[in-house]
Amino acid sequence: MKTTYITWHYTTHGVAYLKHILSCFFKKGHTPQNLHFDELNQMELNTVFDTPQEHEGFVFDKVIYLIAPQKSFDKLSSRRFSYKKNIVNDETIIDLGLSHIYDEITSNDDLCYNLSEELRFVKEKYPDKYDAFKKSIWKNIQHYPVLEQLKWLKEHSNFNNVYKDKLEIIELDVNDLRDEKHIANKVNAWLKNKSKELKGAENIINVSLGSNETQVVWHILAEAEQLPPNTRFIKTYDDKSSDKEKRFKPFSIKEIPTNLITSIGDGFSLFSETKSPSRKLVDKKMEVFLKSGFSILLLGERGIGKSHIAEKAKSTLTNQNNLIQANCASFDNDNTAEAELFGYSKGAFTGSLPGGKNGLIEEANKGVLFLDEIHHLSKLVQAKLMKALQTDRDNKMSIRKMGDSKETKVECRLIFATNKTIKELRQLLLPDFYDRIVQHVVNIPALRETKEDRMADWEKIWKGLKFPGAYNIPQDDNLNKWIKTLDLPGNYRDLQKIAMYYNAYLNFDEETRTMLNEKTPFSYSKKEFTKYHTVNTELEHEKYNFNTKQTTQEMKADYFFELQKWAVDKFKGRKNAIEHFKSKGDTVTDNTFNKWKNKYSLK
């Protein structure tokens, strides 16, 4: 997936700050997983692009720089107008022996703020100081008009050594950077025109730059679901507590939630509007478990949204800076798994990156590590991971990169996930590893068990896909009745497929509809979904054959597992199934169904 960095111009920092932020990512060599960096030195970052071959070099595929007319920025800050008075007394200018040159430039209105004329003047009159003057410009570039700053960035800085042809400058007709509604309308219109390109990329937006109002607008658009999918927010900020005499303070980069407003409040609340008791139980369990500090295991079928729960966990833990996640099924072999999880040092093996690589566990330091499909790890990798997950008295893990003898301390929250049952996990995992990850367990109900939320789930899926053309959620009674009857073995993924089929039909011309021999979007959606996505459903309802080699207790556990599954299907939801058993005089609760489902009630 391509990556895009998006930011507003910032009057008090300027384009050199943009270059230094990008230099940080380049120097660290990271893809945007861990978006947290501290104690960043602008003096050092300024030279990173001088010798790009010395670094591993992560580069965004595109950098989008949002600007407004100069008069709009001048309304925000008059700081640049005092530049003429203060620049000659700047300590860095004095040290470089450039004070008299800057004195002449700032005293001449025809020169000052005209980058080309300034450079020509110094080159002709002070050729021995030309290189020093050119290298000093970045320290004061924020005082220049924005277009002059961009001219410096593209023509006179080391930016082009790495980002040539990757910078896109977008001037929005924003005449008041203090008017949130005005800004939101302009940004939203631009986003809609850009939606196709941004939808296919991971978009990192620096929300801390621009004006206070532009920062608010990013959060408003996120809450209104107007931003592209795969959007993440970062903020950048200086350490004001450091040496007050030091002009360029150390700065930090930190990821922040995109759902800041809805995440306000205590506790974990993914299913806040649910009518389902089993979903309410997920929220209540997660709220308690996240405070405990122990690992959490998510049990749930494919497509049920386990990664969304991990995302919500990260935003709930407000002191956690990042979420690092991996699907263990994606590791080709043990070496790949070990390299990805633990990282490797320089020259650890043939084909390794020249400078080595941090592993996922180290990337998750001070954040959350989410490992999905944990059952795919081999016994060998389980054993190595088990050793790493053992914590010391400070709750820190010790990891060692491949090819390195030095241990690194890491502190992070651990969330694991699987679509296997507890019984299956016992067979697939080493006993010690099983004990380590099965501390707190959260069972995520399948959509067929929460039919009381079915239409709310459908509406959320439709809106979340953000179809071009801004079609409203279909008001189709036949469609809605049909959706309510489905088992949806693929859970949310099945709803997404139905939405995609329905939307596709809306975009077909009459000739295509005639060729398909389908007169309504509902008939087309039902036909396509039935054709491609119902085989598994039919197989799941085949008659169950008990394994006669099992013990009686194991066969009873299997029987009750099948009983609860049949009952949920038969009575259209867990709640109705429980009510049926109660009407027959049986003491059956939601907890009983959980035990039957996980096959441990009779063990």
Side-chain angles (χ1 to χ4, degrees):
M1 181 180 290
K2 291 186 176 180
T3 54
T4 304
Y5 180 81
I6 304 173
T7 183
W8 272 96
H9 174 70
Y10 195 33
T11 55
T12 58
H13 285 58
V15 297
Y17 195 53
L18 164 70
K19 185 168 72 75
H20 298 159
I21 292 169
L22 297 175
S23 297
C24 168
F25 284 105
F26 186 81
K27 183 178 180 182
K28 300 292 183 180
H30 291 306
T31 55
Q33 295 184 64
N34 183 349
L35 298 179
H36 185 81
F37 309 105
D38 287 317
E39 295 295 317
L40 299 172
N41 186 313
Q42 290 200 63
M43 300 292 286
E44 295 176 0
L45 291 172
N46 183 60
T47 63
V48 167
F49 289 165
D50 286 344
T51 55
Q53 67 277 4
E54 294 180 2
H55 306 281
E56 293 181 27
F58 169 76
V59 180
F60 287 94
D61 294 287
K62 177 165 286 188
V63 174
I64 296 177
Y65 199 65
L66 301 176
I67 64 172
Q70 184 62 49
K71 62 181 180 180
S72 300
F73 287 117
D74 289 342
K75 290 178 184 178
L76 291 182
S77 173
S78 61
R79 189 171 176 177
R80 77 182 188 91
F81 296 107
S82 62
Y83 158 70
K84 295 181 180 182
K85 299 177 182 179
N86 299 327
I87 187 63
V88 293
N89 297 318
D90 188 283
E91 184 177 313
T92 59
I93 298 304
I94 295 173
D95 291 343
L96 291 169
L98 299 173
S99 294
H100 61 293
I101 297 177
Y102 274 97
D103 190 29
E104 289 188 54
I105 290 174
T106 55
S107 299
N108 187 334
D109 290 340
D110 293 330
L111 282 179
C112 192
Y113 298 142
N114 187 325
L115 184 63
S116 298
E117 287 301 306
E118 287 182 8
L119 289 169
R120 181 193 58 76
F121 168 78
V122 176
K123 190 171 186 178
E124 291 180 359
K125 190 169 183 180
Y126 301 101
D128 59 320
K129 294 290 186 179
Y130 178 75
D131 288 341
F133 176 80
K134 191 173 182 180
K135 290 180 179 179
S136 74
I137 292 174
W138 76 268
K139 298 178 180 179
N140 304 288
I141 194 65
Q142 71 272 21
H143 299 300
Y144 288 67
V146 61
L147 295 181
E148 290 295 297
Q149 292 190 40
L150 291 167
K151 180 191 294 184
W152 169 82
L153 182 71
K154 295 188 293 182
E155 299 177 11
H156 301 288
S157 76
N158 56 13
F159 180 80
N160 273 352
N161 291 345
V162 175
Y163 274 95
K164 186 177 182 180
D165 301 325
K166 293 184 181 293
L167 176 66
E168 182 175 351
I169 301 164
I170 303 295
E171 181 170 345
L172 299 178
D173 186 22
V174 177
N175 53 45
D176 187 354
L177 286 163
R178 294 297 187 201
D179 186 335
E180 292 89 347
K181 185 176 180 180
H182 175 59
I183 298 168
N185 287 334
K186 295 295 183 180
V187 174
N188 198 36
W190 168 72
L191 285 170
K192 287 182 177 178
N193 290 331
K194 202 79 171 174
S195 62
K196 186 175 181 180
E197 177 184 332
L198 296 178
K199 191 173 183 179
E202 181 172 28
N203 306 291
I204 310 300
I205 300 179
N206 190 336
V207 298
S208 61
L209 304 184
S211 63
N212 292 336
E213 289 72 17
T214 62
Q215 297 171 32
V216 169
V217 163
W218 286 127
H219 288 287
I220 291 173
L221 292 175
E223 295 290 345
E225 299 184 342
Q226 297 302 305
L227 297 181
N230 302 312
T231 292
R232 299 166 70 184
F233 283 173
I234 62 169
K235 66 177 181 179
T236 51
Y237 53 96
D238 298 337
D239 180 5
K240 303 299 184 185
S241 64
S242 61
D243 187 352
K244 294 183 179 180
E245 301 300 320
K246 194 173 184 179
R247 183 178 170 197
F248 295 102
K249 306 287 193 298
F251 76 98
S252 299
I253 298 173
K254 181 178 181 180
E255 184 170 7
I256 60 174
T258 55
N259 62 333
L260 179 63
I261 298 173
T262 54
S263 66
I264 293 174
D266 296 328
F268 182 96
S269 181
L270 184 67
F271 301 113
S272 57
E273 303 298 324
T274 186
K275 299 176 183 177
S276 164
S278 55
R279 283 182 166 179
K280 290 178 182 177
L281 183 60
V282 170
D283 279 357
K284 291 182 178 296
K285 278 189 171 184
M286 287 296 296
E287 181 175 352
V288 173
F289 294 168
L290 285 171
K291 295 175 182 177
S292 73
F294 295 104
S295 65
I296 297 172
L297 175 65
L298 306 178
L299 297 179
E301 297 178 358
R302 61 187 176 91
I304 198 58
K306 295 185 283 291
S307 61
H308 289 299
I309 291 181
E311 286 277 2
K312 182 63 179 177
K314 188 206 74 167
S315 62
T316 302
L317 295 165
T318 54
N319 63 323
Q320 306 299 333
N321 300 314
N322 57 296
L323 169 67
I324 301 300
Q325 50 186 321
N327 189 320
C328 297
S330 66
F331 301 146
D332 296 332
N333 51 53
D334 288 354
N335 285 336
T336 301
E338 188 174 353
E340 289 295 318
L341 290 170
F342 299 100
Y344 52 83
S345 59
K346 181 178 179 180
F349 53 86
T350 303
S352 61
L353 293 175
K357 179 182 178 181
N358 289 338
L360 297 175
I361 301 174
E362 187 172 356
E363 290 282 339
N365 191 33
K366 302 299 182 182
V368 177
L369 176 64
F370 173 58
L371 297 181
D372 199 2
E373 298 199 57
I374 193 73
H375 57 274
H376 279 284
L377 293 179
S378 72
K379 299 289 179 65
L380 176 63
V381 176
Q382 289 176 39
K384 292 185 177 181
L385 188 56
M386 172 62 213
K387 184 178 180 181
L389 296 182
Q390 293 175 345
T391 55
D392 60 20
R393 64 179 61 186
D394 297 320
N395 202 32
K396 292 184 178 181
M397 300 178 289
S398 296
I399 63 167
R400 183 178 297 160
K401 293 181 179 179
M402 296 175 66
D404 199 343
S405 59
K406 182 179 66 175
E407 288 192 340
T408 302
K409 294 288 186 179
V410 174
E411 183 178 5
C412 66
R413 302 301 302 273
L414 299 168
I415 300 179
F416 307 100
T418 180
N419 58 16
K420 299 298 183 183
T421 65
I422 286 293
K423 178 181 177 181
E424 291 169 324
L425 279 186
R426 289 183 187 277
Q427 297 172 345
L428 292 168
L429 303 182
L430 293 170
D432 286 346
F433 187 64
Y434 173 90
D435 290 339
R436 180 61 180 86
I437 71 169
V438 183
Q439 294 182 339
H440 287 312
V441 179
V442 178
N443 295 280
I444 309 165
L447 294 196
R448 64 178 174 277
E449 300 171 6
T450 59
K451 289 193 174 181
E452 56 268 59
D453 288 343
R454 178 62 56 85
M455 299 319 296
D457 289 339
W458 166 245
E459 183 175 353
K460 183 177 180 180
I461 288 296
W462 181 274
K463 290 180 177 179
L465 289 173
K466 294 185 174 68
F467 293 119
Y471 291 113
N472 293 324
I473 185 167
Q475 301 300 314
D476 187 327
D477 289 340
N478 290 327
L479 174 71
N480 292 345
K481 289 178 182 177
W482 175 63
I483 287 176
K484 290 178 181 178
T485 67
L486 297 175
D487 282 346
L488 303 176
N491 293 290
Y492 291 113
R493 293 175 192 166
D494 283 349
L495 288 180
Q496 288 176 332
K497 289 163 188 171
I498 295 170
M500 289 187 286
Y501 292 140
Y502 199 99
N503 177 73
Y505 187 90
L506 295 177
N507 288 281
F508 290 149
D509 57 25
E510 287 303 320
E511 181 181 7
T512 305
R513 294 176 183 181
T514 301
M515 294 170 65
L516 290 169
N517 195 28
E518 296 294 341
K519 295 182 179 181
T520 68
F522 164 63
S523 64
Y524 174 75
S525 303
K526 183 176 181 180
K527 179 181 177 181
E528 294 299 290
F529 184 78
T530 303
K531 185 192 305 182
Y532 299 116
H533 306 296
T534 57
V535 176
N536 287 340
T537 305
E538 294 168 2
L539 290 175
E540 287 175 12
H541 287 80
E542 290 179 352
K543 186 177 179 181
Y544 186 83
N545 293 313
F546 287 101
N547 182 354
T548 56
K549 294 183 179 180
Q550 295 184 111
T551 65
T552 302
Q553 292 294 90
E554 288 174 330
M555 292 179 70
K556 284 183 178 179
D558 284 348
Y559 167 78
F560 281 105
F561 174 82
E562 290 299 316
L563 177 62
Q564 62 83 27
K565 188 168 72 170
W566 170 83
V568 169
D569 292 342
K570 175 68 176 178
F571 299 105
K572 309 301 181 185
R574 177 181 285 204
K575 182 178 179 181
N576 293 338
I578 292 173
E579 289 299 322
H580 169 76
F581 284 113
K582 286 182 178 178
S583 69
K584 302 299 181 182
D586 294 317
T587 305
V588 174
T589 65
D590 199 62
N591 186 46
T592 306
F593 263 57
N594 282 338
K595 290 181 177 180
W596 289 356
K597 181 180 177 181
N598 290 286
K599 300 185 181 182
Y600 57 67
S601 60
L602 301 176
K603 293 183 182 180

